[in-house]
Amino acid sequence: MKILVGYKRVVDYNVRIQVKPDGTGVVTDGVKLSANPFDDIALEEALRLREKGVATEVIVVAIGPADLTAHLRNGLAMGANRAIHVVTAEAVQPLTAARVFLKLIEKEQPGLVILGKQAIDDDANQTGQMLAALWDRPQATFASQVEIADGKAKVTREVDAGLEVIEAELPAVITTDLRLNEPRFIKLPDIMKAKAKPIDTIEFGSLGVEAHDHLKTTHYAAPAKRSKGVMVKDAAELVAALKQKGLL
Amino acid sequence: MSKILVIAEHLGGKLNSSTARAVSAAAAVKAEAIDVLVLSDAPDAIAAEAAKIDGVSRVLTVARPENAHPLAAVLAPQIAKAAAGYSHLFVPSTTFGKDVAPRVAALLGVAQVSDVMSVEAAHTFKRPIYAGNAIITVEADANHPVVATIRSASWAAAGNGADSAPIEALTIDAALPTHTRFVELKQGSSDRPDLQSASKVVSGGRGVGSKENFDIIYKFADRIGAAVGASRAAVDAGYVPSEMQVGQTGKIIAPELYMAIGISGAIQHLTGIKDAGTIVAINKDGEAPIFEIADLGLVGDLFKLIPELEQAL
Ligand SMILES: Cc1cc2nc3c(=O)[nH]c(=O)nc-3n(C[C@H](O)[C@H](O)[C@H](O)COP(=O)(O)OP(=O)(O)OC[C@H]3O[C@@H](n4cnc5c(N)ncnc54)[C@H](O)[C@@H]3O)c2cc1C
Ligand SMILES: Nc1ncnc2c1ncn2[C@@H]1O[C@H](COP(=O)(O)O)[C@@H](O)[C@H]1O
C-alpha cells in the first residue's frame, strides 16, 4: 500500500508574525520556513506504518513555489521514498489543494492519504475533509491514534467531548492531531541518502485543476492587543481585586 | 436577500451552545430567514431547544438512524442537499463543525470561510490566521453559497425568548455511505461546568507538575465554580485528558475570568484565551510571557499561593 502525505511549507511556528503596516500581507521576507508541524506528524505516522509492514511506499507531496526542493529533501531525509512537487507561484486555497491531491490519487492509487489537520499559516483546517468528499471516501480527522488492519483504519479522534473512535474502510483520508506521535529527528547520513531520492515535478497548469478561488483576502490587520495589566503583591490582593470586578 | 441555514450541534440529546452562537453570527448578516437544521436519530427534543433561540425562523429536522452519531461522511451529503436555496451555511467552529463543514463545501464546490470572528457585510468576514497573529478580511464570491464556520468565542449566544419557531420534518433523499462507522466516544465524566461555555475557567500548565498535583487545580476551580482547562504541555505530560486543552489546537474560549496557573504563555496558548474578559496569571517566573497579557498577575509558587487564595476567598 502506498501512502500520500501532505507536506506543506509554512512560516516556522516560532516566528513572531508581523502584519505589514499597509495591510497587504504579513512579513515573510527572511523569516524561517519549515514543514507544517502537523505534516511532520503525518509523515512520521506514514513512516511508522511502513516500518510495521503496513505500507510499502511513502510519498510526500508539496504544492507551492519553485524553491521547495530543499523542503522536500527534508521529507525525504526523514524517510519518505519519494516526493511530488506541484509547482505553482500562487498560494493555493484548500479546495484547490484538495483537487490537486485528487489528481495525484488518480495517478498513484494510494491506500491512505495522511494530511495535517491544519496548516499553521492559513489555519483553514479544510483540505483533508474536502479531499475525502471529492474522492468520496472516509475521513478521520484530528487523529491521535491510528491502527490499520484488514483493510480498515481504526482511528481515535480528539473531539471537544473527549476521544471518539471510528472505523473507516480504506482507502481513506486521515488528518493528524498533535498527540498522534512525535516526529523523529533527521540524521546526517539520511540527508546524504535523500539526495539520491526522486522528486517528481509537475506543473500545476498541467493537472487540469480548476483554480477558481472563491475567497479574496482584501486586508490584513494586527489583532487587537491586550494591554499589560497590573501585578498584585499577594493572594489577598488578588482576591480583593477579583471581588471588586464582581468575578468572585 | 440572505437566507441562512445554521447546522445545529448537539450531544446526548442536548443542543450545544455553539449553535446559538452561530445564530448570532447569522443575525449579524441581517438575513431574511435563519433556519436551523438538526440531524439526529431522535431530533425532537433538540429541535424544541433550537426553536426557542431568538432570531430563528424555522427549525428543520432530519431523523434517520444513521444520524445517531455525527459522522461527517454521513451528514455531509444530507446537509449539502438541505442547503439548496440558502445563500449561507453556518456551522459552529467546534471539532464537529470543523469536521463536517469542509466536506459539505467540497460537495457544493465552494470554498469555506473558517472561524468567522465578525461579519462586515453579507459576503465579507474577518477571520484569524497564523494562530490569531493576523486578522484578515475575506470576501466570498456572491455568486455562490457561503459556507462558513463560526468561531464560538467571538459570538455571544443568541438569547432564548418565550416564542418558539415552527419545527418541520424534512425528508432528504441522499444515499449515505457505510464506509465510516462510529465505534465509541470516551468521555471524561465531570460535574464541572463545560469548558467552552463556562464563565470562569481555571487552567493549569506544566508548572503543576503531575496528575496528582492537578487535584489542587480541580479543588480551587470547584471552590469558585469554574471549569478546568490546561495547556498542551499539561495534556502531553498526561496530567489531564486532551479535551481540556486550551489554545490554537485545543479549545478557543472566552470566559469572563480566566486563571492561568503554572502556564508560561506560549503564543499557541494565548490564541485560545484572547477573548477572555479578565486574565489572571500565577507563575513563579516574573518574566513569563503570560504576564504581558494578564490583567492581574501574581508572581510566586502556585503550591503556596493557591491555599492562600482559598483562605482569602
Ligand atoms: C503547532 C502547535 C500548536 C500548539 N497548540 C497549543 C495549544 O493549543 N495549547 C497550548 O497550551 N499549547 C500549544 N502548543 C504548545 C506551546 O507552544 C507550549 O509548548 C505550551 O503551551 C507550554 O505549556 P506550559 O505553559 O504549561 O509549559 P511551560 O512553557 O513549560 O511553562 C510552565 C510554566 O510554569 C511555571 N511554573 C513551574 N513551576 C511553578 C510553580 N511551582 N508555581 C508557579 N509557576 C510554576 C514556569 O515558570 C513556567 O512559566 C502548540 C505548539 C505547536 C507547535
Ligand atoms: N500547498 C500544500 N502543499 C502540501 N500539502 C498541503 C497544501 N495545502 C494543504 N495541504 C495539506 O492539507 C493540510 C491542511 O491544510 P489547511 O486545510 O490549509 O489547513 C496540511 O496540513 C497539508 O497536509
Side-chain angles (χ1 to χ4, degrees):
Chain A
M1 170 172 99
K2 283 187 201 174
I3 303 181
L4 279 191
V5 172
Y7 199 63
K8 187 179 183 184
R9 188 181 68 177
V10 298
V11 174
D12 187 85
Y13 78 95
N14 280 313
V15 171
R16 270 196 178 259
I17 294 294
Q18 302 285 338
V19 175
K20 290 182 188 164
D22 64 0
T24 56
V26 301
V27 177
T28 49
D29 292 344
V31 303
K32 186 178 175 207
L33 303 173
S34 306
N36 183 36
F38 293 97
D39 293 359
D40 268 332
I41 294 169
L43 176 53
E44 176 64 35
E45 197 64 18
L47 296 174
R48 289 185 190 187
L49 288 170
R50 192 185 64 199
E51 284 155 6
K52 279 189 206 150
V54 174
T56 48
E57 191 180 28
V58 173
I59 307 164
V60 285
V61 177
I63 310 161
D67 69 350
L68 283 183
T69 312
H71 161 71
L72 285 167
R73 291 267 173 237
N74 277 333
L76 294 170
M78 222 173 114
N81 300 78
R82 59 190 174 94
I84 299 177
H85 180 184
V86 177
V87 186
T88 165
E90 308 290 326
V92 295
Q93 292 182 4
L95 184 58
T96 307
R99 287 175 172 154
V100 168
F101 273 98
L102 186 66
K103 291 284 179 195
L104 302 178
I105 285 169
E106 284 162 7
K107 188 159 160 254
E108 301 286 350
Q109 300 289 323
L112 195 59
V113 178
I114 312 182
L115 304 184
K117 82 164 176 185
Q118 74 198 67
I120 61 161
D121 48 5
D122 64 15
D123 282 333
N125 197 330
Q126 299 173 9
T127 308
Q129 298 88 313
M130 289 181 158
L131 173 62
L134 301 176
W135 192 17
D136 201 11
R137 292 306 307 165
Q139 68 188 50
T141 52
F142 326 145
S144 66
Q145 207 187 324
V146 172
E147 289 163 47
I148 309 277
D150 309 323
K152 284 181 293 206
K154 192 171 171 195
V155 179
T156 304
R157 307 178 54 234
E158 289 198 4
V159 296
D160 290 338
L163 296 173
E164 184 190 67
V165 183
I166 63 170
E167 204 174 68
E169 287 168 17
L170 301 185
V173 178
I174 292 175
T175 77
T176 60
D177 218 315
L178 290 173
R179 273 173 286 274
L180 181 57
N181 60 51
E182 221 169 297
R184 66 196 65 190
F185 288 105
I186 295 172
K187 293 193 258 351
L188 201 59
D190 296 331
I191 297 177
M192 300 308 291
K193 270 193 254 163
K195 290 194 173 139
K197 292 183 179 176
I199 300 180
D200 266 342
T201 306
I202 303 174
E203 279 304 321
F204 175 83
S206 72
L207 285 172
V209 165
E210 185 202 345
H212 172 66
D213 288 336
H214 294 291
L215 297 183
K216 287 204 169 51
T217 299
T218 55
H219 188 71
Y220 292 73
K225 271 225 163 63
R226 286 191 78 102
S227 47
K228 196 175 157 74
V230 294
M231 300 302 282
V232 293
K233 67 173 193 312
D234 57 24
E237 200 184 318
L238 178 56
V239 168
L242 290 174
K243 282 191 172 154
Q244 205 204 345
K245 286 176 174 246
L247 291 166
L248 286 181
Chain B
M1 272 302 269
S2 309
K3 269 187 83 182
I4 305 186
L5 185 64
V6 174
I7 307 304
E9 173 169 4
H10 53 89
L11 182 67
K14 289 209 174 68
L15 193 67
N16 187 306
S17 75
S18 60
T19 310
R21 294 171 193 268
V23 169
S24 290
V29 178
K30 302 194 172 54
E32 131 196 48
I34 301 173
D35 294 348
V36 175
L37 177 64
V38 181
L39 302 126
S40 165
D41 54 341
D44 294 354
I46 304 158
E49 271 190 84
K52 292 209 188 83
I53 301 172
D54 289 343
V56 171
S57 321
R58 279 191 312 166
V59 177
L60 309 170
T61 61
V62 182
R64 285 182 78 149
E66 295 93 328
N67 294 343
H69 302 288
L71 292 169
V74 171
L75 300 181
Q78 302 174 65
I79 297 172
K81 282 231 162 138
Y86 288 92
S87 60
H88 297 64
L89 185 67
F90 279 8
V91 193
S93 190
T94 52
T95 53
F96 161 76
K98 288 173 178 173
D99 188 39
V100 74
R103 190 156 182 133
V104 177
L107 292 178
L108 298 174
V110 298
Q112 173 183 299
V113 186
S114 293
D115 303 316
V116 169
M117 304 169 69
S118 81
V119 172
E120 306 294 303
H123 292 88
T124 310
F125 309 93
K126 285 193 177 162
R127 64 169 297 255
I129 57 170
Y130 289 105
N133 287 300
I135 309 298
I136 55 172
T137 306
V138 292
E139 260 175 43
D141 186 340
N143 298 314
H144 295 274
V146 174
V147 175
T149 61
I150 306 302
R151 184 178 181 272
S152 298
S154 300
W155 301 89
N160 264 344
D163 297 346
S164 264
I167 300 173
E168 292 167 29
L170 283 189
T171 330
I172 291 177
D173 169 34
L176 303 185
T178 54
H179 52 45
T180 312
R181 291 175 289 273
F182 174 86
V183 178
E184 63 174 322
L185 176 64
K186 298 176 199 162
Q187 235 181 322
S189 61
S190 150
D191 299 333
R192 295 194 176 85
D194 166 54
L195 179 55
Q196 266 163 318
S197 51
S199 62
K200 293 176 204 165
V201 173
V202 176
S203 280
R206 200 194 318 260
V208 179
S210 71
K211 191 173 175 176
E212 292 69 39
N213 287 352
F214 229 86
D215 279 344
I216 304 172
I217 303 288
Y218 291 124
K219 244 182 67 208
F220 178 64
D222 290 347
R223 271 294 297 276
I224 65 167
V228 180
S231 70
R232 176 185 170 198
V235 175
D236 285 359
Y239 305 167
V240 295
S242 59
E243 65 265 25
M244 282 170 56
Q245 182 176 317
V246 171
Q248 180 191 9
T249 48
K251 289 182 174 140
I252 312 262
I253 56 174
E256 285 163 36
L257 173 63
Y258 185 79
M259 298 184 74
I261 301 179
I263 292 177
S264 61
I267 206 129
Q268 295 88 2
H269 188 79
L270 302 185
T271 303
I273 58 169
K274 273 186 180 146
D275 299 295
T278 297
I279 297 177
V280 173
I282 296 177
N283 196 303
K284 69 177 181 192
D285 172 10
E287 303 291 308
I290 188 82
F291 289 120
E292 278 162 42
I293 60 121
D295 300 285
L296 292 162
L298 179 53
V299 178
D301 185 346
L302 69 96
F303 300 105
K304 178 170 163 285
L305 289 173
I306 295 181
E308 288 177 8
L309 284 171
E310 287 177 347
Q311 283 249 294
L313 285 176

